[in-house]
Amino acid sequence: MVRFFLLFLALQAALFGAELSPWVQTYFVIPWTNQLASISAYLVTLFDPNVVATGKVLRHAVNGFAVSIEAGCNGVEATIVLLAAILAFPAPWKNKVIGLLAGTVAVQGLNVVRVISLFYLGQWDFQVFEWAHLYVWQALIMLDVLIVWLVWVRTLPKTQGSDGRKPPPGSAGLRGSAGAPAPAPS
Amino acid sequence: MSEAADVLPASRPVARFVLKTLAWLPPSFAVWYFGAPVLLWPAIALVRLVARVGLPDLVRTVEQSGAVCVFATTLKPGQALALSGNITVDVNTLLYAFGLPLYVALVLAAREPGWQRKLALGYVVIIPFVAWGVLADFLKNVAITSGQFVASQTGFSPLQNELIAFAFQFGSLILPTVVPAVAWVLMHRRFLEALREPGLRAG
């Protein structure tokens, strides 16, 4: 558990530092944020044709209300946390890859719901928008990350280490150093 | 609080846990919001202590106004004589403390033995990171976003400004949500083991 925790922190700091670099911002974060606005606009136009996306801005063409998707609302940080948690946890690489792909879709999927909901909350009541934007959705997205990780951990084979072999006692899983010796793989 | 979760079979412990957490979130947020002046007092006291020790030339006083942390600085807003007052910076402490209700909802949803102790311990763990966010927000305001004249008075080097920017980004985008989640995971290892083991009851 200690190893997982330290690795998680190190990976997260490294990934977050990389995210802030100009290169990653230019070639990944900004294009992804623009794409997120486009995806949100596409989904919204299925029931409200007056919505357009321009860059990272989602705008209502009739009443002029617009939201700009900024850092923290593009789901990148939440995805980084999930990536770090999955990569740091002792598991076979196949499970990690599946977890990374499915988990990223789950986190970004909920983030699209966040963007669309905030777009309409803002048109309805700005105070409610602020509350949902600054506090509630932040917590819900992190809860989503935690749940995705829990579900992923439940899918793991219970006796294997990251290399697919039986781990030494207490070196893998959630019990940490106090854990009992792991049973042999079936 | 968990009637909806109780209709799910024990074979779906994650779904039960999620429903319980979602049920606990609204009351947790309500207590957090209305109790913020009291709940966040220790974070602001910590900010005051750090400012007094580490930034005595920059910060004159740190006051609390509800959930807002008010920094009275030694910085001048402009060169004109008419602008002879000092700058104050308001930071909304709630922006860095929304992990508290999330943590409370997670603990109450898991409801392990000793959950009261886990609540108290989590609070102690989270409060310093709230202080981090508030302090980094203040420093970002005076050193980066307040303009050249004010920033030049702080005396921070370009490297220090970079560190302040990183501390602010990390303290606002990562720490407020990750710290409660990590604290919860570390304090609920048995619960997590039970989630993985069929036959053991979790949630």
Side-chain angles (χ1 to χ4, degrees):
Chain A
M1 191 65 165
V2 173
R3 178 183 164 278
F4 161 71
F5 180 61
L6 293 177
L7 195 55
F8 169 72
L9 289 182
L11 280 169
Q12 192 170 260
L15 288 168
F16 186 67
E19 186 214 345
L20 296 180
S21 70
W23 191 89
V24 175
Q25 285 286 321
T26 303
Y27 293 105
F28 176 70
V29 176
I30 293 172
W32 167 248
T33 307
N34 294 345
Q35 197 59 38
L36 181 61
S38 298
I39 293 169
S40 302
Y42 169 76
L43 291 173
V44 169
T45 51
L46 295 177
F47 56 89
D48 186 350
N50 298 312
V51 177
V52 291
T54 312
K56 62 180 179 179
V57 175
L58 196 62
R59 184 186 309 278
H60 200 284
V62 175
N63 62 24
F65 183 83
V67 292
S68 175
I69 304 171
E70 301 293 337
C73 290
N74 54 15
V76 173
E77 290 79 16
T79 307
I80 283 175
V81 174
L82 182 67
L83 293 184
I86 288 178
L87 289 175
F89 199 79
W93 276 103
K94 181 185 166 194
N95 294 68
K96 290 191 186 201
V97 170
I98 293 170
L100 290 175
L101 294 175
T104 300
V105 169
V107 170
Q108 291 296 339
L110 188 67
N111 200 51
V112 169
V113 175
R114 162 161 76 168
V115 170
I116 293 172
S117 72
L118 289 174
F119 180 66
Y120 283 100
L121 282 176
Q123 294 174 63
W124 173 58
D125 186 311
F126 195 72
Q127 272 195 318
V128 175
F129 166 84
E130 283 285 273
W131 238 84
H133 173 223
L134 297 175
Y135 313 129
V136 178
W137 265 116
Q138 304 273 37
L140 289 178
I141 291 288
M142 183 44 63
L143 182 60
D144 185 34
V145 170
L146 183 62
I147 289 160
V148 167
W149 184 74
L150 288 177
V151 169
W152 174 75
V153 165
R154 264 174 74 81
T155 66
L156 295 178
K158 292 180 176 54
T159 56
Q160 289 183 330
S162 58
D163 54 358
R165 290 179 301 174
K166 175 183 166 184
S171 66
L174 295 157
R175 286 198 178 95
S177 57
S186 54
Chain B
M1 190 51 63
S2 57
E3 291 84 358
D6 290 338
V7 303
L8 286 170
S11 60
R12 300 179 65 189
V14 175
R16 286 167 60 91
F17 173 67
V18 171
L19 284 179
K20 285 183 178 181
T21 306
L22 290 175
W24 276 112
L25 267 179
S28 301
F29 263 111
V31 171
W32 165 77
Y33 185 72
F34 292 109
V38 176
L39 289 172
L40 299 179
W41 175 85
I44 294 177
L46 190 55
V47 169
R48 186 179 297 124
L49 178 68
V50 173
R52 190 172 295 164
V53 173
L55 304 164
D57 298 334
L58 199 61
V59 180
R60 285 192 294 122
T61 60
V62 176
E63 302 293 338
Q64 179 175 5
S65 175
V68 175
C69 188
V70 183
F71 293 83
T73 73
T74 58
L75 304 170
K76 301 289 182 188
Q79 286 173 305
L81 284 175
L83 299 174
S84 58
N86 294 103
I87 288 174
T88 61
V89 177
D90 293 355
V91 177
N92 178 7
T93 314
L94 294 173
L95 290 175
Y96 307 99
F98 57 78
L100 278 171
L102 173 63
Y103 177 79
V104 169
L106 288 169
V107 171
L108 293 178
R111 196 66 78 92
E112 280 210 311
W115 60 271
Q116 299 96 331
R117 188 176 53 81
K118 292 180 201 295
L119 279 181
L121 197 55
Y123 177 74
V124 171
V125 168
I126 292 169
I127 283 297
F129 292 98
V130 177
W132 171 325
V134 172
L135 205 55
D137 191 329
F138 162 72
L139 288 171
K140 183 262 305 179
N141 265 296
V142 295
I144 298 170
T145 57
S146 60
Q148 188 61 40
F149 181 76
V150 174
S152 66
Q153 298 172 65
T154 62
F156 291 129
S157 67
L159 177 63
Q160 284 174 316
N161 282 346
E162 288 293 324
L163 287 174
I164 288 169
F166 185 84
F168 169 70
Q169 299 269 18
F170 202 65
S172 59
L173 297 177
I174 297 285
L175 292 178
T177 48
V178 169
V179 170
V182 169
W184 181 83
V185 166
L186 289 176
M187 283 187 247
H188 289 77
R189 279 186 265 177
R190 263 189 309 180
F191 178 82
L192 295 172
E193 271 301 323
L195 280 182
R196 292 192 69 189
E197 300 289 340
L200 292 178
R201 188 180 171 90

